Amino acid sequence: IYRAEKELIEAWQIDSSDVSVAYSIAALKDEASRSFDEIKPWLDRAWNMLQPDPVMLSRLHQQYAKGFSSDPKTIDKAINHYREAYRLNPKSISALLYMASLYETKKDYKKALECYEKYLRVGRPGSGGYEFARNGADKARQELFMDGE
């Protein structure tokens, strides 16, 4: 067992991105009746490697949304990806502006206004995004007023 552990540790040093190596080290230590305190760090490494990174997932969704937003037929897909990007990473408030803009393209001013207002609650006053959201919200309110809503 000692030799196998040594080889697995060397494998980990060569490639620390292989979840199966981290798990195998933990399992080997368990088989050798090591303490849980010695096993747990390897289990934690394996566990953390398997957990998705919400910030990266958010970025991926934003890239999908960007691609889908260029075609009027796939705007709904773009909106869904921006919504998911924001859900995964609420600090990514630019997704709110993009969603609002796409809702305006669809002439869904009520949803556009919701996105703009949400941005205005968390955005930094004076920033370009804040001014864009403020102007967009004003336009959406005007459109809703003209539509009698």
Side-chain angles (χ1 to χ4, degrees):
I1 289 181
Y2 175 75
R3 183 172 173 208
E5 180 180 355
K6 183 179 175 190
E7 288 179 11
L8 283 169
I9 298 289
E10 286 175 9
W12 179 260
Q13 290 171 344
I14 292 169
D15 182 7
S16 61
S17 66
D18 188 343
V19 68
S20 65
V21 173
Y23 173 77
S24 295
I25 292 169
L28 188 70
K29 288 180 178 287
D30 180 55
E31 201 171 297
S33 299
R34 303 279 176 76
S35 73
F36 185 65
D37 287 339
E38 195 174 335
I39 297 166
K40 186 178 181 301
W42 292 101
L43 291 174
D44 289 345
R45 285 182 181 120
W47 180 267
N48 289 332
M49 291 170 74
L50 293 172
Q51 299 304 307
D53 175 4
V55 172
M56 182 52 71
L57 286 173
S58 175
R59 288 178 182 163
L60 287 169
H61 277 288
Q62 288 199 47
Q63 286 302 117
Y64 275 112
K66 187 177 177 184
F68 284 129
S69 66
S70 63
D71 182 351
K73 294 180 215 153
T74 57
I75 285 179
D76 287 332
K77 286 183 180 182
I79 290 170
N80 289 335
H81 279 287
Y82 280 127
R83 185 180 303 115
E84 187 63 9
Y86 181 71
R87 185 191 70 76
L88 288 163
N89 183 13
K91 290 181 181 179
S92 182
I93 60 175
S94 63
L96 293 170
L97 293 182
Y98 290 119
M99 268 194 296
S101 185
L102 290 171
Y103 279 126
E104 278 189 62
T105 299
K106 292 180 59 165
K107 301 196 183 312
D108 188 339
Y109 297 107
K110 187 174 182 179
K111 287 185 180 177
L113 181 59
E114 289 172 11
C115 291
Y116 285 132
E117 287 178 338
K118 190 178 278 189
Y119 183 95
L120 291 170
R121 286 193 296 272
V122 295
R124 189 171 35 100
S127 69
Y130 194 88
E131 292 306 309
F132 182 84
R134 194 170 55 77
N135 291 334
D138 288 345
K139 179 184 174 193
R141 283 187 201 96
Q142 289 171 358
E143 292 292 341
L144 288 169
F145 178 77
M146 296 300 282
D147 289 344
E149 290 186 46

